[in-house]
Amino acid sequence: MENKELWIYQSDGGYHLKNPVLLGDGDWTGQTLISAGNLKGKPVLWARDKASGKLYGYPLTIDPATLVPALLHPAARTDLGLTLPSTTYPVVASPGDVNSPVQTGDANPGGPDGIPDLYAVDTSGRLLEYNYRQSGVPTSPPAYAFGAPVSLGSVTDTASHWWNLAEGSGAATADSTGTLNATLAGGYSWTNDTTRGNALTLNGSTGYGSTTGPAVDTSKSFTVSAWVRLASLTANSTFLSQNGTTNNGFQLYYSSGVGAWAFGRHSTDAATGAVWRAAYGGKPAVGRWTHLVGMYDATAKQIRLYVDGRLAATNDWTYTPWNATGPLQLGRKLSSGTYGEYTNGAISDIRLYPIALPAADASAGGDLPKVTQLD
């Protein structure tokens, strides 16, 4: 775009671009262009309206003698019937015709079908595919529409808070992606090993870390994860929790009573009548680093626990969701107004997400790639 108009640089058939040709007059600055390639052998340009998120199509008509496309006008467009606001879908692109919906009896199931496909990344990091396909109702000319989105997994790490716990010294640990630095107190020390590098070690009785405010809204879906290493199996060890007024809103911990890793929630913040419900799984061992992921899925009304990349346990959590608005606790929990179950062991790489992570992401033990552009 230049001076609000749309220009095209065409190839000379080799490795060079010819002088630009005016492709669209008027004001194109309110649209984001999407190069969709060909639709049934004819070139087409897609665009997303920056204000509304609606997608539009601009068929290109090429003069066979000059090979110059006819002039486009911003308002002369086809509504593609799909709205993807940039606030929810910051990345939208099309690589052209990649595949097709699989139909019974297809000779080449899933192969290119002459119709371009659309891809989007939402704010939770999910990569979605929208198949553009011909309508099942015969019309002349044929009508096309986008099918329901298909999730292809996540392509970006969307942790809203991340404590790497790699400082190695001092009485604080920094939040790498947010602003909730944690202050350390009591019996803590910094250790280093060949597996995790620097890590925070807590003594099981007084050592803990605390932020100044909440890290997630526990009335909505969220995910917490950490690498942990136990020094003893004798008593409960709480690795992560978030304070309410009386109880915690979640707890990622080792349960000595069950002899398993656990992720649980109180049904209410009330001083009386609170029900504890948890998902238990995995076989803990002293001195071994383990990756734990606890998840609350508000839509499914479930809590889930992943241990070293595998779904270890699921439990229903059908109570009225409530938000624990107090600070995040590293290495202890609040219950009935009293702190307890201090971690006896080490913690590394704590991450919190304001969503219920897709299974593929919850199973990942390290960083996810960060995508900034689709081509």
Side-chain angles (χ1 to χ4, degrees), residues 64-92:
T66 64
L67 300 182
V68 174
L71 193 65
L72 301 178
H73 312 288
R77 56 195 183 183
T78 301
D79 189 337
L80 297 180
L82 183 63
T83 300
L84 300 174
S86 58
T87 53
T88 307
Y89 303 91
V91 181
V92 175

Side-chain angles (χ1 to χ4, degrees), residues 194-222:
T194 56
T195 302
R196 298 296 308 167
N198 288 335
L200 176 67
T201 297
L202 303 172
N203 67 355
S205 57
T206 62
Y208 71 95
S210 180
T211 64
T212 56
V216 290
D217 184 340
T218 61
S219 68
K220 302 175 182 178
S221 295
F222 66 89

